[in-house]
Amino acid sequence: MVIKQGDPARLTYRYLRVAIVAVVLVLFVSLALQIVADHGRLASGEEWWHASISAYFYSPVQSIFVSSLVGIGTCLVAIKGRRGAEEVLLNFAGMLALLVALVPTPLAADMCTAEPYCVDVPERIANNVGTLLIVGGLVLALATWPRRRDLLTAHGLDLWLTWFAWAATGVWLLASPETFRSVAHYLAAVLLFACLVAVAWINGSDRAVTVQALERLRGMSAVAYRVWYRWIAVVMATVLVVGLTTMVVLDRWFPAVFPQTLFVVETVLMLVFALFWVLQTIQFWDVGLPARAREAPAAA
């Protein structure tokens, strides 16, 4: 059945996609304002451009940074993907975005002496991630109960993977909090973008985004959208691999050469991520969801 113009489901998914793009814009406006302020405030020769977007957690951008990632993560979980891999990847990407938000990038203790944004970081991580795990466990239990019989079949693989990720995060935080604080942000960020690369590629491979001849896509043809999505996946994967490799090489052997490499990598990835959701918003403006996301679950 065609989703009608005033259908609440279609409007909800439209607003979720628009919200993702709007939140990315909010983050970049906040970053731009802070960079301009730092450039005018700091003396010549001082670093006025942080090494990464994540490092702006320790600045007045902190509230926008955290809330933006929490908002993006919530939207990614809420948006229904195609049954199977895309739905699982979107859920994992959303959970990883929450982890990136709540576990700040590590910063040397001597760099935090005078900044109020550095106060009680270990305690905040323990409280925030602990809260996320407790509430996430309750939500996951509620999501698992209607599908409890799937746990005994291959259809429950996504549930097992989600429970494993939940348990592994909790064990890691409790067993080695220092390692968690040092590594979790970076690992979650890399896995987040890897999930988004896979989501873009899935969209670039789906040849059946509509179910009826009356359904139409805005902006471009289905073929053109698939080409764009494949290119987005390739660009994001290339930037992720080449950019991070370049950053590691420069940091290890040439630390004085362009320390903002990671900032550039994160910026490009976020902008391409925003482009993907702009295209998704336009493509599914009238139909709400791709056809495979509207399929009824198979009977157990």
Side-chain angles (χ1 to χ4, degrees):
M1 181 177 67
V2 178
I3 299 179
K4 296 181 181 179
Q5 188 67 16
D7 183 82
R10 179 189 60 78
L11 294 174
T12 298
Y13 287 117
R14 180 192 296 177
Y15 296 151
L16 284 171
R17 295 187 181 102
V18 170
I20 291 176
V21 178
V23 169
V24 173
L25 178 61
V26 166
L27 177 58
F28 275 107
V29 169
S30 182
L31 287 168
L33 291 175
Q34 187 60 37
I35 290 171
V36 170
D38 288 343
H39 184 265
R41 176 176 57 86
L42 298 177
S44 178
E46 291 189 73
E47 285 290 346
W48 51 269
W49 180 12
H50 288 356
S52 68
I53 290 177
S54 300
Y56 280 90
F57 176 92
Y58 304 100
S59 79
V61 180
Q62 184 182 99
S63 297
I64 292 292
F65 176 81
V66 173
S67 58
S68 295
L69 285 169
V70 170
I72 289 172
T74 304
C75 289
L76 290 174
V77 172
I79 290 176
K80 183 173 174 57
R82 295 163 178 82
R83 291 188 63 244
E86 186 186 28
E87 175 71 357
V88 175
L89 288 165
L90 283 172
N91 288 339
F92 268 87
M95 292 184 288
L96 289 164
L98 296 176
L99 205 56
V100 172
L102 300 179
V103 184
T105 184
L107 200 62
D110 59 354
M111 298 178 65
C112 274
T113 54
E115 291 290 344
Y117 310 101
C118 303
V119 175
D120 299 328
V121 169
E123 290 81 0
R124 290 160 71 177
I125 292 175
N127 177 280
N128 295 347
V129 178
T131 300
L132 183 65
L133 288 169
I134 292 170
V135 176
L138 293 174
V139 172
L140 188 52
L142 290 174
T144 301
W145 180 252
R147 298 181 53 200
R148 57 193 181 279
R149 293 185 179 86
D150 288 349
L151 294 172
L152 303 177
T153 70
H155 296 299
L157 179 60
D158 61 318
L159 293 174
W160 283 112
L161 289 173
T162 307
W163 276 112
F164 175 79
W166 176 84
T169 302
V171 170
W172 187 12
L173 176 63
L174 292 173
S176 183
E178 291 185 5
T179 306
F180 187 87
R181 291 195 298 268
S182 301
V183 178
H185 178 89
Y186 297 123
L187 180 61
V190 171
L191 292 177
L192 166 60
F193 284 114
C195 288
L196 296 173
V197 168
V199 168
W201 188 260
I202 290 170
N203 277 269
S205 305
D206 187 5
R207 297 179 177 274
V209 293
T210 58
V211 293
Q212 293 186 21
L214 291 177
E215 290 185 346
R216 63 190 182 91
L217 303 176
R218 287 180 179 250
M220 297 182 286
S221 67
V223 174
Y225 277 114
R226 289 200 299 271
V227 171
W228 271 95
Y229 293 142
R230 285 196 291 268
W231 272 110
I232 285 173
V234 170
V235 169
M236 288 185 73
T238 302
V239 171
L240 187 62
V241 174
V242 175
L244 292 181
T245 302
T246 302
M247 183 201 71
V248 170
V249 170
L250 291 177
D251 186 61
R252 184 177 180 85
W253 288 287
F254 309 99
V257 177
F258 197 59
Q260 289 83 14
T261 302
L262 183 55
F263 184 99
V264 174
V265 170
E266 290 175 322
T267 299
V268 173
L269 288 172
M270 288 297 291
L271 290 175
V272 178
F273 166 77
L275 173 61
F276 172 79
W277 287 106
V278 168
L279 293 175
Q280 287 272 287
T281 302
I282 298 171
Q283 182 181 19
F284 298 113
W285 189 267
D286 292 317
V287 299
L289 289 170
R292 285 171 51 200
R294 286 177 269 159
E295 293 175 354

